[in-house]
């Protein structure tokens, strides 16, 4: 005898398949669970994308701590325009402070620029020749032709060892033998120039955040 129940259409041909209430309830429950799993999976996927994006964004952010590895470049922007004496200057004095040490024999390659896109107006290789490690160093960069007429410029540094830079102070002077012509010391704004890999991570992070936002709207 055919069990009492209801009939539902199935995709396998045009046949009617008998199904009891219990069987139907079980099937509906299975479908509901599958839908919940699917919805949960979508939520998990969204959260995973969001987390990956945040991680990719956090790595470049962490890189903004002024730790400079070998081969990386540190940029220092300065503005002496409001100071007396005004530019142009013949010398620019730099005073570096480090969170760790510049080892004995290690060096800093320095380039001084007046404007973006122009050749450097001065350069210098500073080497620690003190015979011991140092946590600060000061030096003067000579400019053969007086430059920095508006008092604004920037420096690029590369270190022969990985180092954690704390700060850099700058002052300018025009007259070589007159100490009174130095401007007051100002602190430069330090920025590590991102490597291509860091820029790629930043791009991936932004794309991930955008994808997660689009999925949320959908």
């Amino acid at each position: 005898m055919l069990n009492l129940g209801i009939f539902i259409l199935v995709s396998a041909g045009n046949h009617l398949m008998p199904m009891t209430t219990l069987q139907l309830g079980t099937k509906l429950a299975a479908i509901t669970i599958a839908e919940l799993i699917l919805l949960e999976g979508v939520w998990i996927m969204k959260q995973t994308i969001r987390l990956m994006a945040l991680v990719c964004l956090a790595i470049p952010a962490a890189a903004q701590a002024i730790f400079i590895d070998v081969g990386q470049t540190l940029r220092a922007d300065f503005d002496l325009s409001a100071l007396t004496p005004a530019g142009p200057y013949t010398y620019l004095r730099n005073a570096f402070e480090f969170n760790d040490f510049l080892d004995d024999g290690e060096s800093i390659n320095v380039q001084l620029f007046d404007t973006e896109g122009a050749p450097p107006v001065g350069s210098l290789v500073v080497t620690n020749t003190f015979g011991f490690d140092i946590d600060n160093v000061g030096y003067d960069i000579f400019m053969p032709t007086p430059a920095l007429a508006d008092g604004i410029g920037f420096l690029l540094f590369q270190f022969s060892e990985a180092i954690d830079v704390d700060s850099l102070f700058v002052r300018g002077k025009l007259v070589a033998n007159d100490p009174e012509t130095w401007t007051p010391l100002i602190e430069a704004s330090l920025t590590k120039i991102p490597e291509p890999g860091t820029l790629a991570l930043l791009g991936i992070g932004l794309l991930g955040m955008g994808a997660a936002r689009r999925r949320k709207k959908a």
Side-chain angles (χ1 to χ4, degrees), residues 151-174:
I152 300 173
F154 66 95
L155 296 135
L156 296 181
F157 303 93
Q158 286 190 321
F159 299 82
S160 63
E161 67 164 309
I163 193 163
D164 192 5
V165 178
D166 185 15
S167 58
L168 172 71
F169 293 88
V170 178
R171 66 194 313 178
K173 181 173 73 168
L174 178 60

Side-chain angles (χ1 to χ4, degrees), residues 11-171:
S11 59
N14 295 321
H15 300 289
L16 291 176
M17 179 177 290
M19 181 173 293
T20 66
T21 304
L22 179 60
Q23 289 173 327
L24 178 61
T26 303
K27 191 174 185 70
L28 290 175
I31 293 172
T32 302
I33 292 172
E35 289 177 344
L36 288 174
I37 292 174
L38 180 62
L39 290 173
E40 187 71 15
V42 171
W43 182 86
I44 291 173
M45 184 170 62
K46 287 181 179 178
Q47 299 307 313
T48 302
I49 292 174
R50 187 173 288 110
L51 179 61
M52 291 175 63
L54 289 174
V55 168
C56 290
L57 289 173
I59 292 174
Q64 297 310 305
I66 312 299
F67 174 79
I68 307 298
D69 208 344
V70 176
Q72 293 183 323
T73 302
L74 177 68
R75 174 169 171 150
D77 290 271
F78 60 87
D79 184 352
L80 306 174
S81 60
L83 304 180
T84 302
Y89 301 109
T90 304
Y91 290 89
L92 192 77
R93 174 162 292 179
N94 298 176
F96 255 125
E97 295 179 353
F98 308 115
N99 285 331
D100 52 13
F101 291 93
L102 183 69
D103 297 339
D104 180 37
E106 298 294 346
S107 60
I108 311 171
N109 184 39
V110 188
Q111 289 185 304
L112 170 62
F113 295 84
D114 195 339
T115 55
E116 296 279 359
V121 295
S123 61
L124 182 67
V125 176
V126 181
T127 304
N128 178 6
T129 57
F130 292 102
F132 52 86
D133 300 346
I134 56 176
D135 62 2
N136 64 84
V137 62
Y139 50 88
D140 296 343
I141 302 175
F142 171 69
M143 289 168 276
T145 302
L148 306 171
D150 59 0
I152 300 173
F154 66 95
L155 296 135
L156 296 181
F157 303 93
Q158 286 190 321
F159 299 82
S160 63
E161 67 164 309
I163 193 163
D164 192 5
V165 178
D166 185 15
S167 58
L168 172 71
F169 293 88
V170 178
R171 66 194 313 178

